[in-house]
Amino acid sequence: MRLRLAPLAVLLVAGPALAQVPTPEAFLGYDLGERFTPHHRVVDYVEAVAAASPRVALSPYGETPEGRPLVTLVVAAEGTDVEAVRRSSLRATEGGAAPEKPVVWLSYNVHGNEAVSTEAALRTLYELTTPRADAWLRDVVVVLDPCLNPDGRERYVSGYRQRRGDAPDPSPEAWEHDEPWPGGRFNHYLFDLNRDWAWGTQPETRARLAVYNAWMPAVHVDFHEQGVDSPYYFAPAAEPFHPRVLPWQRAVQTEIGRANARVFDREGWLYFTREVFDLLYPGYGDTWPTFNGAVGMTYEQGGSGRAGLAIRTTEGDTLTLADRIRNHVATGLETVATVAGDADRVGRAFAAGFATPPAGPAVAFAARGDAGRLEALAALLDLQGIRYGWAGREQTARGVRYAGGLDRPAPPERLTVQPGDLVVSLDQPKGRLAAVLFEPEPALVDSVTYDVTAWALPYVYGVEGLALESAVDAGGAAPSAPLAPAAARPYAYVLPWESPQDARVLAELLREEVGVRVVPEPFEAEGRRFRRGSVVATRAGNGRLGERFDAVVREAAARAGRPAVALGTGFATSGADLGSNRVGFARGPRVAVLTDEPVAPTALGEVWHWFDRVVDYPATLLRADGFSRADLDDADVLVLPDGRYGAWLTDDRAEALRGWVRAGGRLVAMEGAARAFAGKDGFGIATREAPAPDSTADGRLRRYGDREREGVSGGVPGAVYRVALDETHPLAYGYPDHTYVVKQGTSPVDFLADGWNVGVLRSGTPAAGFAGRRAQDRLTDSLVFGVEDLGDGEVVYLLDTPIFRGFWADGQLLFANAVFGLGAE
C-alpha cells in the first residue's frame, strides 16, 4: 500500500533496520542500465530502502495529474535529529546561525525523457546507505527527489519499451531512438517543468515548492541530459550570471566543479564547464534555488530521449545507459562528499547570505492596479514564500516607475505610494528572490543567453510597478472588492472584466449556459460607473434558469472572489442601455483545439491547461493527422496553437478552413499557425521579408569567430514588449491602451490592410530585456494581435502568445476575448 499525504505535510517515515538494504539489482531483478525502470517500481524500491535503512526516511509530498506519487528521501546519519536540522536551516534564513548541517538536495528527471536521472537516483540512494557515506553523513543531510516528472518519464519509458526489440539497436536511425509526438520531456499538460520553478503553474511544481521551502537547502543539484554527442557538463555555470548571484555561491560552484573534474580526469571521461547553461532566468532548477540562497547547479549528461539503452555517437563510440548512470552517480556522490568536506564554511556562508538584504538601488517594490490582479500576484507570492504587506496610508519615496506605460523604466523620481498598494520589502529571507522577480530589468552581463531576458512581475500581472529606494510602511489591510447588496430580484448583474479571475467567472457562467452581454463602451447606471467590456447577466434571456439564475451568477463570482453588482434597472444614465442592440450577446461556444504534429507540444500545453485548469471550460482536442472540415461540424471555435504548419496547411485545408470561417466559425491562430496563413488565398496576413545579412560589419569583413554574437544582433531571445492596443475593439476589452507580451524571435507581420490591427508594436525597442539592433529595426510597426472578418466569421491572429508558459496572467483576458468572442459582431 502506497503512502499518501497532503502536499504541505512534512512527514518523515523511517523504518527500523529490519533487513539488509537491497541493492537496486537484487530488488528489481536486473542490473541498472539493462532496461528503464517503470515509475511504480521506482517507488517500490525507494520504499524498500526506507523500510530497511535507519538512515533513510521517505516523505510523499504530492501527486501528479495522472495519479503518480511524488516522494522525497531524506538521508542522514543514524541518530540525527533530522527535524532539528531542518529547523536550523530555516533559522539560518532568518539571520540566525549556520545550520547544524548543510542540506544537499538532489533532484532527478524534471524532463521525463532525460530518463537516466531516475536510474542514477536509485544507485545514488543505495550508495548513501553504505559505509562509504558514513563520513559524509556526519556533516550533511541529503534530500533526494528521484523523479520530479513521473508522468513524462512514464510516457517516455513505456513508449521506448514498445519500440525496441529483445536487444537494443545502437543505430541512430533505429525506430527506438525516434520519440513520437509529444515526447516524454514534458509533464501531463505538456509543460516544461524546468521553466516553472518561479511560477508554479503545474501541480508537481506547487507541491515541490512547499517541501523545498520547508527545508531551504544550502546546495541544490538538478540532473539533466543533453545531446547524444555532448560530453558531460557540470558547474561552474556560464555567463551571464545574474548580478544577485553571491560570490560565495560562485566560489562553491567552482570548488564542486573542480572536485568533479578530478573524478572525470582520473577516469578519462570527457566533460566541459562554463558554457551554455547560465544563471539568469529564474525559472530553472539551478537559478531558482540560487535566488533562494542555495548553490544551485545543473549537471548534464549526454544522451536524452534519443539515446535509449545504447546509441552510436558521431565519433563511433556506443553510449550506453549504464555509462550515463555511472556519470550521474559519480557527480552526485562527489557533490555530497565535497560539501561534507567543507561543511562548516558552506553552512556559515549560507547563513551569511541571508544576514543582509540584497544590495541594489531598490529596497522595496510596490504594485498597484485592479484588486483582482493584485490578488493574483499575492497568490504567487504566497506560493513562493515571499512576504508582503499593504500600504495603509499615502507615503512618498524615491524610486523608479515601470509597467505603467513607459517604454523603459524612467530615471528615479519622487513617487507616491497609495493606500492599497501591495508592498514587498527586500529585508526578508526571500528578499533576493523577490528582487529578481520584481526588478524592472535584469542587468544583462552578456547578451548570449539560454532563455528569456525579462520577466518582472508587474508586466506579468499588468499592474503598475514601483521600485523604491527606501522602505515604506506596509501594515495596512488588504484591499477587498465590496460586494454590493443585492435586491431580491435584480434586473441584471454586472461583472467586471479586468483581472485573470474574471475569465474563470465568465467560463463558469457560459458552462452553466447563462447568456451574457458585453457592453461596448463605459456606461453609468444607478450612480455607478462601469468600464468598457463589463460582462452583464440579465434576467431577461435567462428565464430557462428560473430561480437558479441569481444563485448561479452570485456563486460563480464569489468562488473567484470577484464582485457581482446587482442593478435594479437596465436604464443607463450614460452609455448604452443594457437592452440596446449595441450591447453584444454571447453564449458558450463549442471549442476545438488542434493537437499532435505539427503543433508545438508546449504551445498546446499552454492552451490545454488554460481551458482545463485555469478557466475550467470544455475544449475538444482534435488530432491534426487526417483533420478535415468535417471535424468542425460541432465546433464554433478552432484554436491552432503555435507550431510548424507549413506542410500541414495545404491549399485544400486552408480553403476548407476559410469556408468554415465564412459560415460563422472563429479561427484563433497563434504564433507559427498565424504566420502559416500568409500567402494563402483569402487570408490577409502577410509576413515581412527579412533583409539579407550584411557582408560587412562597421566597414570590416565579417569574422567567423563573431558569428554567434552577430546572430544575436538579429534576434530576440525573450524580451518584454509594450503592445499598443485599440481598446475599443472587443479583442482588447478589459485593457487600457496597452498590454505586454514576451516576444521570442523575430518573424514580424505587417499591419492588416483589410482588418483590425488591435495590438501593434510601434517601437522595436523592448520595454525590458534584450533585443538585437537589427531585430529592433525589423519589429518596428509590426502586428501582434489582429482580427480579420471573413463572411459571418472571423480569424483572430495572435502573433505572440498572450498566455506565455501559462504564467503570463496579463494576457488571460485577451485570450478569453479571442476564444469567447465577446462583443464581436
Side-chain angles (χ1 to χ4, degrees):
M1 177 177 176
R2 302 266 198 272
L3 294 169
R4 292 289 185 272
L5 289 180
L8 290 180
V10 180
L11 175 65
L12 304 178
V13 183
L18 300 178
Q20 183 178 4
V21 177
T23 66
E25 291 76 13
F27 185 88
L28 298 171
Y30 53 86
D31 289 341
L32 287 180
E34 286 186 5
R35 65 182 74 167
F36 288 108
T37 307
H39 183 260
H40 72 279
R41 294 292 285 153
V42 170
V43 176
D44 289 343
Y45 177 69
V46 299
E47 287 180 343
V49 172
S53 174
R55 290 183 178 180
V56 180
L58 182 144
S59 179
Y61 68 88
E63 192 173 81
T64 71
E66 295 177 16
R68 296 184 176 91
L70 298 161
V71 302
T72 57
L73 290 305
V74 178
V75 188
E78 282 189 66
T80 300
D81 187 341
V82 173
E83 179 61 14
V85 172
R86 187 186 70 82
R87 288 196 302 266
S88 74
S89 189
L90 293 181
R91 283 196 300 271
T93 70
E94 299 280 359
E100 292 182 13
K101 297 181 180 182
V103 176
V104 178
W105 190 300
L106 306 178
S107 289
Y108 298 87
N109 233 147
V110 70
H111 291 145
N113 63 354
E114 297 175 9
V116 66
S117 300
T118 292
E119 308 295 331
L122 302 185
R123 171 65 64 196
T124 302
L125 175 64
Y126 172 75
E127 293 295 336
L128 290 173
T129 69
T130 66
R132 71 180 298 195
D134 290 351
W136 309 336
L137 297 178
R138 284 199 297 267
D139 297 301
V140 299
V141 167
V142 177
V143 179
L144 187 150
D145 188 333
C147 189
L148 280 65
N149 182 7
D151 291 349
R153 175 185 165 82
E154 196 62 22
R155 187 185 312 127
Y156 172 76
V157 169
S158 61
Y160 178 78
R161 191 166 55 239
Q162 292 167 6
R163 297 190 303 276
R164 60 154 289 197
D166 285 342
D169 185 342
S171 172
E173 292 76 30
W175 182 35
E176 66 191 73
H177 300 301
D178 186 14
E179 278 189 270
W181 191 97
R185 178 181 177 89
F186 313 111
N187 78 333
H188 172 81
Y189 282 108
L190 304 184
F191 272 65
D192 186 332
L193 294 181
N194 194 39
R195 285 159 173 78
D196 195 44
W197 288 76
W199 319 117
T201 68
Q202 298 303 290
E204 298 95 328
T205 310
R206 298 175 72 85
R208 184 184 343 113
L209 294 186
V211 181
Y212 189 103
N213 286 335
W215 277 94
M216 293 297 285
V219 175
H220 180 269
V221 182
D222 196 20
F223 289 86
H224 286 263
E225 289 187 82
Q226 52 188 328
V228 166
D229 293 315
S230 296
Y232 198 98
Y233 167 84
F234 46 74
E239 295 283 1
F241 279 77
H242 193 284
R244 295 191 185 275
V245 178
L246 298 175
W248 84 270
Q249 293 171 313
R250 298 185 66 166
V252 173
Q253 265 205 1
T254 301
E255 179 184 345
I256 294 171
R258 285 175 174 157
N260 282 327
R262 286 192 290 271
V263 174
F264 276 58
D265 289 343
R266 183 173 64 243
E267 300 294 339
W269 304 333
L270 292 177
Y271 62 92
F272 68 101
T273 65
R274 301 187 302 277
E275 296 179 36
V276 182
F277 306 104
D278 58 54
L279 288 178
L280 183 70
Y281 174 67
Y284 289 130
D286 54 3
T287 48
W288 185 87
T290 297
F291 299 138
N292 278 275
V295 177
M297 296 175 291
T298 288
Y299 291 175
E300 298 267 355
Q301 164 64 46
S304 72
R306 288 196 61 234
L309 297 183
I311 191 168
R312 190 168 58 250
T313 68
T314 301
E315 290 184 304
D317 289 336
T318 298
L319 177 66
T320 68
L321 179 59
D323 296 333
R324 293 148 60 201
I325 294 171
R326 175 201 66 199
N327 293 349
H328 264 345
V329 172
T331 55
L333 294 178
E334 188 62 27
T335 298
V336 173
T338 303
V339 176
D342 204 5
D344 288 343
R345 184 171 73 92
V346 171
R348 289 195 305 271
F350 173 73
F354 292 94
T356 57
V363 171
F365 292 92
R368 69 169 61 113
D370 168 71
R373 291 174 180 262
L374 291 180
E375 181 182 338
L377 170 56
L380 176 70
L381 300 181
D382 289 335
L383 176 69
Q384 293 292 341
I386 296 172
R387 299 167 186 167
Y388 58 91
W390 304 91
R393 57 185 175 84
E394 187 175 292
Q395 302 161 73
T396 60
R398 211 175 136 71
V400 168
R401 186 193 313 272
Y402 63 109
L406 300 172
D407 284 339
R408 283 278 177 174
E413 58 179 308
R414 203 73 187 165
L415 301 174
T416 300
V417 177
Q418 301 171 357
D421 287 355
L422 185 151
V423 178
V424 177
S425 169
L426 302 191
D427 188 10
Q428 61 166 300
K430 293 274 190 166
R432 193 159 279 103
L433 177 64
V436 170
L437 295 181
F438 272 97
E439 61 193 353
E441 183 165 13
L444 195 60
V445 177
D446 193 329
S447 58
V448 179
T449 129
Y450 194 65
D451 210 298
V452 299
T453 58
W455 49 79
L457 291 180
Y459 295 115
V460 174
Y461 287 91
V463 296
E464 184 177 355
L466 308 176
L468 307 174
E469 295 180 358
S470 58
V472 295
D473 176 62
S480 59
L483 300 180
R489 284 179 58 83
Y491 181 89
Y493 293 93
V494 182
L495 302 124
W497 193 245
E498 301 168 352
S499 74
Q501 299 95 314
D502 296 333
R504 187 175 183 91
V505 177
L506 174 67
E508 182 171 347
L509 295 182
L510 295 179
R511 196 175 65 244
E512 293 290 334
E513 300 184 346
V514 177
V516 300
R517 297 171 183 267
V518 183
V519 293
E521 58 191 35
F523 76 101
E524 186 172 354
E526 294 188 341
R528 302 190 61 160
R529 292 194 59 81
F530 301 94
R531 294 176 56 180
R532 174 186 286 112
S534 294
V535 174
V536 179
T538 58
R539 189 174 300 278
N542 284 300
R544 67 197 171 285
L545 295 174
E547 295 305 313
R548 293 182 57 241
F549 170 71
D550 298 275
V552 168
V553 175
R554 293 176 187 172
E555 290 172 9
R559 270 189 284 273
R562 299 298 284 158
V565 178
L567 294 179
T569 177
F571 180 80
T573 52
S574 67
D577 294 328
L578 299 187
S580 168
N581 286 335
R582 293 160 56 195
V583 176
F585 178 78
R587 290 202 183 279
R590 298 165 299 176
V591 179
V593 180
L594 199 69
T595 183
D596 215 330
E597 292 182 306
V599 179
T602 54
L604 171 65
E606 290 174 1
V607 173
W608 183 21
H609 181 261
W610 188 83
F611 280 107
D612 212 35
R613 288 293 181 96
V614 177
V615 297
D616 190 16
Y617 190 85
T620 300
L621 302 185
L622 298 177
R623 290 196 60 190
D625 184 30
F627 175 88
S628 69
R629 166 74 184 271
D631 294 317
L632 298 178
D633 287 347
D634 294 324
D636 305 305
V637 177
L638 173 63
V639 180
L640 303 182
D642 184 30
R644 299 179 181 273
Y645 284 80
W648 181 86
L649 190 61
T650 62
D651 289 342
D652 287 345
R653 277 206 175 109
E655 176 58 30
L657 288 171
R658 188 165 72 96
W660 173 77
V661 172
R662 293 188 65 84
R666 184 180 308 113
L667 178 64
V668 180
M670 305 177 70
E671 302 180 274
R675 292 179 179 89
F677 284 93
K680 295 296 183 183
D681 186 45
F683 295 90
I685 188 171
T687 55
R688 186 176 298 173
E689 294 297 323
D694 296 334
S695 60
T696 63
D698 299 327
R700 295 171 294 176
L701 292 175
R702 298 170 62 204
R703 296 179 68 251
Y704 180 77
D706 295 335
R707 65 193 185 283
E708 184 176 20
R709 297 193 179 282
E710 190 175 293
V712 166
S713 175
V716 181
V720 175
Y721 272 83
R722 184 178 188 268
V723 180
L725 292 177
D726 173 4
E727 70 274 21
T728 68
H729 193 281
L731 185 60
Y733 281 174
Y735 292 84
D737 62 357
H738 68 277
T739 186
Y740 295 91
V741 297
V742 174
K743 181 170 283 294
Q744 292 183 293
T746 53
S747 297
V749 167
D750 287 326
F751 295 157
L752 296 171
D754 187 17
W756 304 104
N757 298 291
V758 182
V760 301
L761 297 186
R762 284 300 186 183
S763 170
T765 302
F770 174 80
R773 175 183 52 80
R774 288 190 291 117
Q776 294 184 34
D777 293 341
R778 288 194 68 201
L779 289 171
T780 298
D781 288 333
S782 60
L783 182 67
V784 179
F785 306 129
V787 177
E788 181 178 17
D789 298 323
L790 290 180
D792 292 331
E794 62 182 10
V795 182
V796 181
Y797 299 111
L798 305 179
L799 280 309
D800 293 286
T801 174
I803 51 174
F804 179 71
R805 292 184 182 171
F807 75 82
W808 201 263
D810 185 40
Q812 288 190 23
L813 285 185
L814 194 140
F815 190 63
N817 288 336
V819 169
F820 297 128
L822 298 185
E825 297 178 357

